[in-house]
Amino acid sequence: MRDLSIVIPAFNEEHRIAETLQSIAEFLDERNLDDEVIVVDDGSTDATVGVVLTHEHLFARLRVLVGERNVGKGHAVRRGMLAATGRHRLFVDADNSTDIRELDRLVAAAAAEPIEPAVVIASLAVEGAHVVVAQPGLRSLLGRLGNMVIQRLVLPGISDTQRGFKLFTGEASDAIFRRCRTDGWAFDVEALALARALGYHVLEVPVCWEHREDSRVRPAAYVTTLLDVVQIRRRVGRERRQIEELASANG
């Protein structure tokens, strides 16, 4: 099993993913890790795959999983995380909104815990976070309202579920993502809710984050995401009951 897998979901990212790959390559060059980078193309119609392949020489191991059609970020992340082989598995956004060096903060915070958390997530809603470039006003407002609903319905105590920078142990990644069903933007909520249902500790860590223009998230996506959250609440509730019943049966 490798030390670290980095999964990058990508859809029409020909103009932004080169910067992200170069940043990750420089970061990995500074560390003596048995690592792999997996780019999951979600049915791009531009030159995303070609751009990624021109950076192959920068990595010890770079894989590209090509999708025939655009399904959704949740599907791409799930596909990459289940294909990964690292003891630790990080998924990051293709737009480099959270720089790969923030991984050091996640790892340091995890190491300070009495028991290693199975899931460590980047957050803008805990003390110490820094926003370099903020989202536009409407998007920021919708995000805050969405987080309030998510906390109320599914994930009380987790202040920011939607940063695209999350670290999982290999065991937790396999257990969580093979149960995930959400293909759209609400996949983060489902993954974290399943982590809790399975008894994994989720640690929220402040990071430095920068809004990038040409976001793939449109305002209407916030409504769709909240509808998905309602379905996730029901589905994870059933999953939790099944886990409890199995544990009871096994004594």
Side-chain angles (χ1 to χ4, degrees):
M1 186 175 285
R2 304 198 188 284
D3 297 323
L4 176 66
S5 299
I6 300 176
V7 172
I8 310 171
F11 174 62
N12 288 349
E13 293 287 357
E14 65 176 356
H15 298 299
R16 302 194 296 187
I17 199 166
E19 177 188 352
T20 301
L21 291 172
Q22 289 164 3
S23 178
I24 291 172
E26 292 170 3
F27 176 83
L28 293 175
D29 280 347
E30 297 168 3
R31 289 152 174 81
N32 184 27
L33 295 173
D34 182 6
D35 57 70
E36 64 179 354
V37 175
I38 303 172
V39 177
V40 187
D41 174 68
D42 189 28
S44 294
T45 57
D46 66 0
T48 294
V49 172
V51 171
V52 172
L53 292 176
T54 64
H55 291 76
E56 190 173 11
H57 66 284
L58 298 178
F59 299 92
R61 279 164 293 276
L62 174 66
R63 285 194 281 164
V64 183
L65 306 182
V66 179
E68 294 183 358
R69 61 187 180 88
N70 178 238
V71 180
K73 184 180 179 182
H75 178 268
V77 169
R78 181 167 70 247
R79 186 181 178 196
M81 296 295 276
L82 291 176
T85 61
R87 280 191 291 271
H88 292 89
R89 303 172 193 177
L90 173 76
F91 73 77
V92 305
D93 283 341
D95 66 0
N96 209 37
S97 53
T98 305
D99 188 87
I100 186 62
R101 294 183 185 280
E102 295 298 302
L103 176 59
D104 289 339
R105 297 181 73 175
L106 268 62
V107 171
E113 294 287 296
I115 299 175
E116 181 189 16
V119 184
V120 188
I121 67 173
S123 175
L124 300 185
V126 291
E127 185 177 356
H130 176 60
V131 177
V132 178
V133 178
Q135 291 179 312
L138 176 60
R139 193 181 300 276
S140 178
L141 175 62
L142 290 172
R144 290 197 301 272
L145 292 174
N147 275 336
M148 290 172 59
V149 174
I150 289 167
Q151 286 194 63
R152 178 66 64 88
L153 292 181
V154 185
L155 290 167
I158 295 182
S159 303
D160 184 0
T161 62
Q162 300 307 111
R163 291 316 107 199
F165 200 88
K166 294 181 172 66
L167 181 67
F168 298 74
T169 63
E171 174 195 337
S173 178
D174 285 338
I176 292 165
F177 284 98
R178 67 182 175 84
R179 289 176 166 87
C180 284
R181 298 292 180 268
T182 302
D183 291 333
W185 300 107
F187 80 94
D188 301 82
V189 177
E190 183 180 36
L192 296 177
L194 284 168
R196 280 190 164 176
L198 290 164
Y200 292 122
H201 172 43
V202 178
L203 178 64
E204 198 170 0
V205 177
V207 296
C208 181
W209 180 87
E210 179 179 352
H211 171 69
R212 296 300 181 100
E213 292 298 331
D214 192 28
S215 171
R216 298 295 180 264
V217 184
R218 300 293 178 250
Y222 289 89
V223 177
T224 303
T225 297
L226 292 178
L227 292 174
D228 285 342
V229 167
V230 175
Q231 296 300 319
I232 289 167
R233 182 185 184 186
R234 295 170 181 166
R235 190 160 59 244
V236 173
R238 290 194 298 268
E239 188 81 35
R240 182 182 292 108
R241 288 191 293 273
Q242 291 172 3
I243 292 168
E244 291 171 351
E245 289 170 1
L246 181 61
S248 178
N250 291 336

